[in-house]
Amino acid sequence: MPKKIVIISPGRDCTPWIRALKKEEPNLIVEVYPDDTNREDTDFILTWNPPKNVFENYPNLKVIASMGAGIRHILKENKIPKQAEITKMDDPLLKEDMSYFVLTTALNFLRNIPLYFQQQNDKIWERLAYQRPEEINIGIMGFGNIGVKVGELLVKNKFNVRGWSKSKKSHQHIETFAGDKELTNFLEGSNILVCLLPLTDETEGILSKEIFQQLPKGAYLINVGRGPHLIEEDLKNALKNERLSGAALDVFQEEPLPKDHWFWNHKKIQLTPHTASVTDPESISSQVIENLNRLKKGEELLHVVSLKKGY
Amino acid sequence: MPKKIVIISPGRDCTPWIRALKKEEPNLIVEVYPDDTNREDTDFILTWNPPKNVFENYPNLKVIASMGAGIRHILKENKIPKQAEITKMDDPLLKEDMSYFVLTTALNFLRNIPLYFQQQNDKIWERLAYQRPEEINIGIMGFGNIGVKVGELLVKNKFNVRGWSKSKKSHQHIETFAGDKELTNFLEGSNILVCLLPLTDETEGILSKEIFQQLPKGAYLINVGRGPHLIEEDLKNALKNERLSGAALDVFQEEPLPKDHWFWNHKKIQLTPHTASVTDPESISSQVIENLNRLKKGEELLHVVSLKKGY
């Protein structure tokens, strides 16, 4: 079979990806769905948001590579062919960018920056008491390779960090919690809650009333996971009854966020347009090529996803 | 003479200071101007913004202690009695708070947070390219004990930091520049310029056209020094001709900033109400008492200001 990669990513300008892949491997054939040819010769697909049942067209598919860290977009409307493996990206720059975004957002909460923007709008001069990182417990839900990196940058800046994950992890500077049993303990001490979970059937809707109720009064939510993690009505109520003092949301059920959504106008919500970390093809195309070469040599692939766990 | 401190700080609620000083030294007499008594018995004054010629009422004054890091408010409308020394505060928490404020503000610039707040207001979903700390040179004007601390936190977060001061300093991780001769070199490489200078006759109006012209196009200004450092019309022009892409201002010529000032409505200006760091009497009253005790024992005072340099 030829050394070929087919990109399936409807609505995306694929030029940066093609350029980055060819820079890495000049002889590579790169084709973009639906204009790709000889589908029986295709064993390697690079994709984000593939259309329904698209993989059925590729009888010899071996690798479905997600363009990002998540893979639920692949499972949502597609059956995975038996002989195919799914891989995800492990982008060091993505982890770094995510870490700085969470740090920025947490510091803004401590220093009342969203309130000061509103005060400026209203021409109000009023000093508000600020908090210091060492006075804050920040809880990271989803303590995988991204969560750990985010936590470490926060520790470096004197925050007290705690991480929660499905199965127990340990870390020298970060207190860890695992599973349903330790969730209450984890939540009760978190003045800021950061969602970095993978999106799975289990984690969908996890940011709900049940969780918010267990946080200290006035806690702040940062959702940089996925939109469907959050039950929006529960957030609305938690802001109303002041269980939460505010929320920074970077991800949404529907993106772009519809113009008539109540998030836009809510004074206690800070919106950003899914910009916490943006995958840079330049920084990860070597990973894609590495896996393509491993496939050709019959070697074990990197960053393979467990379909059972879903991440 | 009795162990007494007179506080002169018109318009300020002095209760937190009195409480903090008495906690440190229960037998201390604390009186507040203009209701203080036996002025010939007063050798130690703690002050912010003293009224014109007020020190003339204290024939035996030995120490004028500023409540903050700056002392110009003392010199502005008062002659300093020959036998008196001026001291300033060296508040570790103040340095820490200032550092985090500058970090927060710099990160917000990198991640376009002020623009996203405006986009949210206008219900606009548009991703903007972000920058990483390691791509940024941040120049600190005023590389004294606060500036060094601010620089070190920025270095820890991967910014490239450079410091400029009147006389040459050296630092392991920070490139240093000094005096008029090295000012151009310092400015040419600064994508973000932070003003942390003391306010003196020499530094008043230093943030001017001449400085802005030497910065890289699109640089960002953070003024956490004093309002009179900035020539406001020059800032307006630098924003208009895009020499500067924006400015975060925490200090102003007149505070509170008057309602009709053009800063309030300018889209490229982010205002905060002098909140970068707020002196906490609890954290520094021990310094005041220490100097009072040194005075009584005839020992050398701490944090004495050079009247010649003005800081």
Side-chain angles (χ1 to χ4, degrees), chain B residues 5-6 9 13 45 53 76 86 91 94-95 108 118 174 179 212 222 226 232 240 251 271 276 291 305 309:
Chain B
I5 289 178
V6 171
S9 183
D13 170 18
I45 282 175
N53 297 331
K76 220 167 45 183
I86 299 181
D91 181 355
L94 185 143
K95 283 185 268 189
N108 278 336
Q118 286 166 20
I174 298 175
F212 301 149
I222 300 176
R226 289 285 177 251
E232 300 184 351
K240 201 173 167 189
V251 289
L271 301 184
N291 262 350
V305 172
K309 290 200 290 177

Side-chain angles (χ1 to χ4, degrees), chain B residues 138-157:
Chain B
I138 184 160
I140 299 177
M141 288 189 96
F143 202 57
N145 67 61
I146 301 178
V148 168
K149 192 86 195 210
V150 171
E152 287 171 349
L153 183 65
L154 293 166
V155 166
K156 213 160 121 183
N157 284 287

Side-chain angles (χ1 to χ4, degrees), chain A residues 93 96-97 100-101 103-104 107-108 111 113-114 116-117 119-128 130 132-134 153 156-158 250 252 255-257 259-260 263-266 269-278, chain B residues 93 96-97 100-101 103-104 107-108 111 113-114 116-117 119-128 130 132-134 153 156-158 250 252 255-257 259-260 263-266 269-278:
Chain A
L93 274 180
E96 185 92 359
D97 292 350
Y100 277 97
F101 184 83
L103 175 65
T104 304
L107 288 173
N108 278 336
R111 303 300 301 232
I113 300 298
Y116 286 134
F117 276 106
Q119 289 192 182
Q120 180 173 352
N121 248 340
D122 301 335
K123 299 194 180 183
I124 291 171
W125 177 283
E126 190 190 334
R127 268 195 197 174
L128 307 164
Y130 53 76
R132 302 189 170 101
E134 62 268 33
L153 183 65
K156 214 159 116 182
N157 284 287
K158 298 203 185 168
D250 187 55
F252 306 91
E255 297 180 4
L257 185 68
K259 293 269 187 201
D260 58 354
F263 283 167
W264 288 108
N265 288 323
H266 199 292
I269 290 182
Q270 286 77 55
L271 301 182
T272 41
H274 203 147
T275 183
S277 61
V278 176
Chain B
L93 274 180
E96 185 92 0
D97 293 349
Y100 277 97
F101 184 83
L103 174 64
T104 304
L107 288 173
N108 278 336
R111 302 301 299 232
I113 300 297
Y116 286 134
F117 276 106
Q119 289 192 181
Q120 179 173 352
N121 247 341
D122 301 336
K123 298 195 179 183
I124 291 171
W125 177 282
E126 191 190 334
R127 268 195 198 172
L128 307 164
Y130 54 77
R132 302 188 170 101
E134 62 267 34
L153 183 65
K156 213 160 121 183
N157 284 287
K158 297 202 184 171
D250 188 54
F252 306 91
E255 298 180 3
L257 185 67
K259 292 270 187 202
D260 59 353
F263 283 167
W264 288 109
N265 289 321
H266 199 291
I269 290 181
Q270 286 79 54
L271 301 184
T272 42
H274 204 147
T275 184
S277 62
V278 177

Side-chain angles (χ1 to χ4, degrees), chain A residues 149-162:
Chain A
K149 192 87 195 205
V150 171
E152 287 170 349
L153 183 65
L154 293 166
V155 166
K156 214 159 116 182
N157 284 287
K158 298 203 185 168
F159 285 89
N160 303 300
V161 183
R162 40 180 55 203

Side-chain angles (χ1 to χ4, degrees), chain B residues 4 79 89 246 306:
Chain B
K4 176 170 89 164
K79 270 195 202 145
M89 295 295 167
S306 151

Side-chain angles (χ1 to χ4, degrees), chain A residues 60 118 123 164 183 195 239 256:
Chain A
N60 296 310
Q118 286 166 20
K123 299 194 180 183
W164 179 82
L183 184 57
C195 175
L239 291 171

